[in-house]
Amino acid sequence: MGKGGEDYGDRRPAASQKKPGDREVFPAWARETAECEKQYQTSRRFGLSSEEVERRQRIYGPNELEKHEGSSIWSLILDQFNDTLVRILLGAAIISFVLAWYDGEEGGEMEITAFVEPLVIFLILIVNAIVGVWQENNAEKALEALKEIQSEHATVIRGGKKIPNLPAKELVPGDIVELKVGDKAPADMRVLELISSTSRLEQGSLTGESEAVNKTSKPVPEDADIQGKKCMIFAGTTVVNGNCLCLVTQTGMDTEIGKVHQQIHVASQSEEDTPLKKKLNEFGEVLTMIIGLICALVWLINVKYFLSWEYVDGWPRNFKFSFEKCTYYFEIAVALAVAAIPEGLPAVITTCLALGTRKMAQKNALVRKLPSVETLGCTTVICSDKTGTLTTNQMAVAKLVAIGSAPGNLRAFKVDGTTYSPYDGQIYDWPTGNMDANLQMIAKVAAICNDSGIVPAENKFIAHGMPTEAALKVLVEKMGLPEGSHGSTSSYELLGCCQWWNKSDRRIATLEFDRDRKSMGVIVNSGSGKKSLLVKGAVESVLERSSKIQLRDGSVVHLDHHARDAILLALHEMSSSALRCLGFAYKDELPDFETYDGREDHPAHQLLLNPSNYSSIESELTFVGLVGLRDPPRQEVYEAIEDCRAAGIRVMVITGDNKNTAEAICREIGVFKPNEDISLKSRTGKEFMEMSDKDKKEHLRRNGGLLFSRAEPRHKQEIVRLLKDDGEVVAMTGDGVNDAPALKLADIGIAMGIAGTEVAKEASDMVLADDNFSTIVAAVGEGRSIYNNMKAFIRYMISSNIGEVASIFLTAALGIPEGLIPVQLLWVNLVTDGPPATALGFNPPDKDIMKKPPRRSDDSLISAWILFRYLVIGLYVGIATVGVFIIWYTHGSFLGIDLSADGHTLVTYSQLANWGQCQSWTNFTTSPFTAGSQVFTFDSNPCDYFRSGKVKAMTLSLSVLVAIEMFNSLNALSEDGSLLSMPPWVNPWLLLAMSVSFGLHFLILYVPFLAQVFGIVPLSFNEWLLVLAVAFPVILIDEVLKFIGRCRSGCRSSVRRKSPKSKAE
């Protein structure tokens, strides 16, 4: 007895601990049905006993998919803090809170200000964590959607009795299940016998096949792929024709759909950060080091202020430590951390990506995960499923071949249309209203020898029944009705022509399709009472049983070798073009059925009960013509693939369909050129998997398009994995269950919105609302534009932060009073910088954005030259903010602007730099000064002039910082383009954002409560003139730097043109 039998006999508890896939699989598909019954210790008539069922349920468990435990809510929350920038921010917030608490014990005006900063930072971190947890909590929905595909009930034979609605989860290996039309397979099963003459299953969502598959009870080779296992029925697939008796071989996670479930789970565990997230993490790590170094440097520069000593006998003695001053400089270090971190960056990135998703939604690309928008921009490879993605997944007639005026003379008509809509396309050179007798007979056979239907649903048409038969009904509608036909149907009737034919010739019997004769026939009763047999089927089979042929005028002549050869030649040409061909024939002489009207007591009815009689009934036929059908490519795909080629994106087609069909489609849509040798570019999934890892990688690196046919889910995952290992950014498209694991594994998983299964949609990052491949190309262009705009505002925000760091560093280095406090920096980073940074996301895209190759995912966000530029700009920001602080204290006027109107006292730079020694100065006095409606006096302690008295100087510093950053946002419109070539009004949103930011700044200046919170006062007109005079030069400096940058780029381009090197070199 085989291993499967041993499993059933093993009662040890350990058996129940076996994981799916651990058991040795019995190849039921390669064994005769009797051997399968013996292996599983069951019989098709009796089934399993109740005792045996209970025992096997203990061994194999319920027939359902496992529920993988997701991450706990706490682990998801902690994961949100596994980010360098967030950790720095968290540390700064905690330290700020401790210092605020310390200051709060002493009371004072600054108590409220001190607490605002840590609370705002904590609020940012909480919102960030909530958004992150919400996104990750949706990650496992694909597994839940997969469970919905499973059947809930099954008709089972147990103990010799038929149980019609047994819960599917109670099935065990060895159960006998009966399937009928419309049933969903509850487990993986071996076909034992066909109860009807044929049984077909729709399994495209699992295997990628474009047509329903005929099932058989005969064994197939043991090494057959999933598509080749014609005697196996897989869980979740649907019966579209016939009924059969099956033996359950695998249940639960051991089924093919269970394997897909496991693959989705594994793929979801290996999701990687997007290219931008990786760059920001790298930036955060560098930032951590820079902050640490600058803080240490500031500490060393100022250590003399809080730690002093005397030298006695050459050794330091009498150490003096000032805790108050130590805390003060510790606050400066915290301010440095706040200044260096672009706190508003996560919010601006999220806003920009959200705006990008809205733009994409208008183009029918629905983004489910925000980071996918950015990742799309650097896509280098699109791995596309064929069926339903590049093609319509709707069978359509592409060619009709009718008989001419002589037996060997054939007429070919090209048929347009790619959907089940009768109004989609036309027949070229068609004799509208003047159909000859031969064309009428073809229309009659196609309309009546047909069990399908078409119904409208949500702006499209769907087929009920066999797709090929639905396509024939669409063809009949395009053919129209014969001239002078009476009782023509109204134009608004969907299948009016088919209804007309069915009324003129009423069907009274059906000869069902079977594998042996490969045809279907119907007996019809015409209006005159004459009986006819109409037949459609495989062309060779119908032709073999035909002895006559109908000519154009309706006359019937002998079918000679010349006519047969002409028909077979047409068949060969159509098959070579990957068309599926069907032949049509009829028979008027039916002596046994002359009086038959469908009654069961008629002698002829006994002939119809035995399918073995069908071949003799369908003999001596009259051949009338043939058609070629296919799953047609979408009309816009060819142009989309050309756009991909221009954009440097490679297209790989990965399909479960057969090789010849896939190659023909790939040539037609432009993946391959019409006469290109594709022997090295087209592989089956099995052939690819048999290669060594080195050869696989070499194959995937080939230039141009590649095709993988007969691909299984694991093949798709392997291809995606190898491409990612090779540094490619992979977008995977698909619509079926079999695509879900690869969709999950790819950098961008793209599901079809109309034809896609819920499993594919839930596993994806983006859903195409129109199932249109060209929408992907539009989305890639949008992604590239968004990335360029994100680079603009990231650079803008980082350059602003460099300026803030420079300002604080210069303040500490020069020893002057603190010009900017943490809460002010936080306001600038979060609120003032936010609107312009967001508005930069609306920059218009470059016209040639889809003519450039994709950027590499490891390209640096900030090049060495850009970093140098922003260090220069940052240094100027630092000099300007510190400079205006010094100017107010030391100058009564500057650049002709009078600053003395407020009556403040002027001091020397030396006094300002040594303000900490103020208590030791003799005869130092200060005058009161005004700020708005407030008057500041320092009679009790003149040294407060450098503490509470610095409020006007601080306001000037903050205002200069805001103004410079507004002007700097204009610089960020283009990386190297001058404002003369790209003026501010190309992005009106930026001008509006600048107005909003200035408005917010005026709000905190002129609303007393807010002014107190931020430690600032209103400014006079002259003081605003000073702010603008100090801020404006940032535009001139960056214009000079941009000019140098353009010169550098021109020189590099010139060198490349003079010394071209081939890619191979």
Side-chain angles (χ1 to χ4, degrees), residues 609-623:
L609 293 178
N610 187 355
S612 62
N613 295 325
Y614 292 173
S615 292
S616 60
I617 298 171
E618 292 178 355
S619 61
E620 300 299 317
L621 300 173
T622 302
F623 193 84

Side-chain angles (χ1 to χ4, degrees), residues 114-137:
F115 275 108
V116 167
E117 177 200 328
L119 290 175
V120 170
I121 296 177
F122 281 131
L123 184 63
I124 295 167
L125 295 176
I126 290 167
V127 171
N128 181 63
I130 290 170
V131 172
V133 169
W134 175 74
Q135 282 186 338
E136 290 189 29
N137 217 23

Side-chain angles (χ1 to χ4, degrees), residues 136-297:
E136 290 189 29
N137 217 23
N138 288 333
E140 295 304 310
K141 283 194 176 178
L143 300 180
E144 294 303 315
L146 194 59
K147 292 182 179 181
E148 293 177 10
I149 287 179
Q150 290 181 291
S151 174
E152 293 183 2
H153 298 93
T155 301
V156 184
I157 297 172
R158 282 183 178 172
K161 296 178 181 177
K162 187 183 287 188
I163 306 171
N165 282 308
L166 183 83
K169 68 178 183 179
E170 295 181 16
L171 288 177
V172 294
D175 262 326
I176 305 297
V177 174
E178 184 181 323
L179 290 178
K180 58 183 183 299
V181 175
D183 283 352
K184 198 176 279 186
D188 283 5
M189 301 181 287
R190 169 71 159 91
V191 178
L192 293 179
E193 65 177 91
L194 300 179
I195 299 172
S196 58
S197 55
T198 59
S199 186
R200 302 183 202 181
L201 274 91
E202 173 55 60
Q203 58 184 43
S205 65
L206 184 64
T207 63
E209 292 161 294
S210 56
E211 300 173 11
V213 178
N214 270 309
K215 293 298 178 181
T216 176
S217 59
K218 296 176 182 177
V220 297
E222 190 167 330
D223 62 349
D225 56 20
I226 188 171
Q227 293 91 345
K229 295 176 180 177
K230 304 291 187 185
C231 59
M232 294 294 293
I233 289 176
F234 303 108
T237 59
T238 307
V239 183
V240 294
N241 168 255
N243 53 335
C244 55
L245 205 61
C246 308
L247 165 67
V248 175
T249 56
Q250 274 87 29
T251 58
M253 294 298 290
D254 286 325
T255 61
E256 290 296 329
I257 205 170
K259 293 173 187 173
V260 172
H261 182 280
Q262 183 63 25
Q263 288 163 351
I264 292 173
H265 177 67
V266 171
S268 68
Q269 302 303 305
S270 59
E271 287 185 349
E272 297 178 1
D273 288 336
T274 66
L276 180 68
K277 182 77 186 300
K278 290 176 183 174
K279 292 191 191 77
L280 289 176
N281 283 342
E282 290 167 8
F283 169 71
E285 289 165 9
V286 173
L287 193 62
T288 307
M289 291 192 298
I290 292 172
I291 290 172
L293 287 172
I294 293 176
C295 287
L297 198 56

Side-chain angles (χ1 to χ4, degrees), residues 31 219 234 315 338 351 356 436 501-502 525 682 770 831 900 1002:
R31 302 288 186 266
F234 303 108
W315 293 93
V338 173
T351 306
D436 54 63
W501 284 112
N502 277 281
N525 189 5
S682 175
D770 57 357
V831 183
S900 61
F1002 291 148

Side-chain angles (χ1 to χ4, degrees), residues 108-119 823 1009 1012-1013:
E109 290 183 20
M110 299 305 289
E111 182 181 351
I112 299 171
T113 307
F115 275 108
V116 167
E117 177 200 328
L119 290 175
V823 73
F1009 169 72
Q1012 182 186 353
V1013 169

